[in-house]
Short mmCIF file of all heavy atoms in Angstrom, two decimals:
data_model
loop_
_atom_site.label_atom_id
_atom_site.label_comp_id
_atom_site.label_asym_id
_atom_site.label_seq_id
_atom_site.Cartn_x
_atom_site.Cartn_y
_atom_site.Cartn_z
N VAL A 119 98.25 163.95 -31.88
CA VAL A 119 97.20 164.40 -32.83
C VAL A 119 96.22 163.25 -33.10
O VAL A 119 94.98 163.43 -33.06
CB VAL A 119 97.85 164.89 -34.14
CG1 VAL A 119 96.75 165.19 -35.18
CG2 VAL A 119 98.71 166.10 -33.90
N LEU A 172 79.57 150.85 -31.78
CA LEU A 172 78.70 149.71 -32.02
C LEU A 172 77.56 149.67 -31.01
O LEU A 172 76.39 149.51 -31.35
CB LEU A 172 79.52 148.44 -31.97
CG LEU A 172 78.82 147.14 -32.38
CD1 LEU A 172 78.36 147.23 -33.82
CD2 LEU A 172 79.77 145.94 -32.23
N GLU A 234 73.73 138.92 -27.78
CA GLU A 234 73.62 137.44 -28.01
C GLU A 234 73.56 137.13 -29.48
O GLU A 234 74.16 136.15 -29.91
CB GLU A 234 72.36 136.96 -27.28
CG GLU A 234 72.56 136.98 -25.77
CD GLU A 234 71.46 136.29 -25.00
OE1 GLU A 234 70.81 135.39 -25.59
OE2 GLU A 234 71.23 136.66 -23.86
N LEU A 281 92.20 124.50 -17.20
CA LEU A 281 92.40 123.36 -16.26
C LEU A 281 93.60 122.54 -16.61
O LEU A 281 94.08 121.81 -15.76
CB LEU A 281 91.13 122.49 -16.29
CG LEU A 281 89.87 123.18 -15.72
CD1 LEU A 281 88.70 122.17 -15.78
CD2 LEU A 281 90.06 123.63 -14.31
N GLN A 282 94.07 122.63 -17.85
CA GLN A 282 95.13 121.71 -18.25
C GLN A 282 96.36 121.72 -17.34
O GLN A 282 96.86 120.67 -16.99
CB GLN A 282 95.54 122.00 -19.70
CG GLN A 282 94.66 121.20 -20.64
CD GLN A 282 95.04 121.40 -22.07
OE1 GLN A 282 96.04 121.98 -22.37
NE2 GLN A 282 94.21 120.87 -22.95
N ALA A 573 95.06 152.92 16.21
CA ALA A 573 94.43 151.66 16.59
C ALA A 573 93.75 151.79 17.94
O ALA A 573 92.63 151.31 18.14
CB ALA A 573 95.44 150.54 16.57
N ILE A 575 92.54 154.48 19.51
CA ILE A 575 91.32 155.33 19.51
C ILE A 575 90.18 154.57 18.81
O ILE A 575 89.02 154.70 19.24
CB ILE A 575 91.61 156.75 18.99
CG1 ILE A 575 90.38 157.66 19.11
CG2 ILE A 575 92.06 156.74 17.59
CD1 ILE A 575 90.07 158.03 20.53
N THR A 714 85.03 181.06 12.26
CA THR A 714 85.86 180.45 13.22
C THR A 714 86.82 181.38 13.92
O THR A 714 87.26 181.11 15.04
CB THR A 714 86.72 179.31 12.56
OG1 THR A 714 87.26 179.84 11.36
CG2 THR A 714 85.88 178.08 12.27
N LEU A 788 98.49 189.41 -19.82
CA LEU A 788 97.63 190.04 -18.81
C LEU A 788 98.07 191.47 -18.56
O LEU A 788 99.25 191.75 -18.49
CB LEU A 788 97.67 189.19 -17.54
CG LEU A 788 96.36 188.96 -16.84
CD1 LEU A 788 95.34 188.35 -17.85
CD2 LEU A 788 96.54 188.06 -15.66
#
Side-chain angles (χ1 to χ4, degrees):
Chain A
V119 173
L172 188 59
E234 289 190 25
L281 294 181
Q282 273 183 9
I575 185 70
T714 47
L788 222 55

